[in-house]
Amino acid sequence: MVEAVWNGAVIARSDNTVVVEGNHYFPRAAVDAAVLKPSATTSVCGWKGTASYHSIEVDGKTNTDAAWYYPEPKSAAAEIADRIAFWKGVQVR
């Protein structure tokens, strides 16, 4: 079982993550939707496509753009469709 933890809270838990470039992508259903807040940030990866972001809020603290996902991944990255990954101090263990 893999967990994503930030600010003392487990924000995602799954035994079905996909690891791409060292990042665990959790199924969206395995992520606590209540901690995800919308963000207008995007970035582009040449082989995965355009990433969108969420900020994470736990106990009144915000971690800006700490979660990302590919709403429409390119075919080479189809395995990460409907999955979310984390960074910026989110511990994945």
Side-chain angles (χ1 to χ4, degrees):
M1 188 68 66
V2 181
E3 293 182 328
V5 179
W6 186 71
N7 198 31
V10 175
I11 58 175
R13 178 181 290 130
S14 178
D15 60 0
N16 180 27
T17 63
V18 173
V19 180
V20 176
E21 297 179 331
N23 297 300
H24 284 267
Y25 284 78
F26 290 80
R28 182 171 286 278
V31 179
D32 180 356
V35 304
L36 299 177
K37 304 304 173 194
S39 171
T41 302
T42 61
S43 63
V44 177
C45 171
W47 72 274
K48 290 182 290 220
T50 300
S52 294
Y53 290 78
H54 290 291
S55 294
I56 299 170
E57 288 185 11
V58 174
D59 293 333
K61 293 188 178 180
T62 301
N63 191 344
T64 304
D65 297 338
W68 78 91
Y69 63 100
Y70 290 85
E72 296 179 18
K74 292 184 177 184
S75 59
E79 66 184 350
I80 60 172
D82 297 319
R83 292 178 176 269
I84 300 176
F86 302 97
W87 67 323
K88 290 191 169 184
V90 176
Q91 296 178 339
V92 177
R93 54 184 191 210

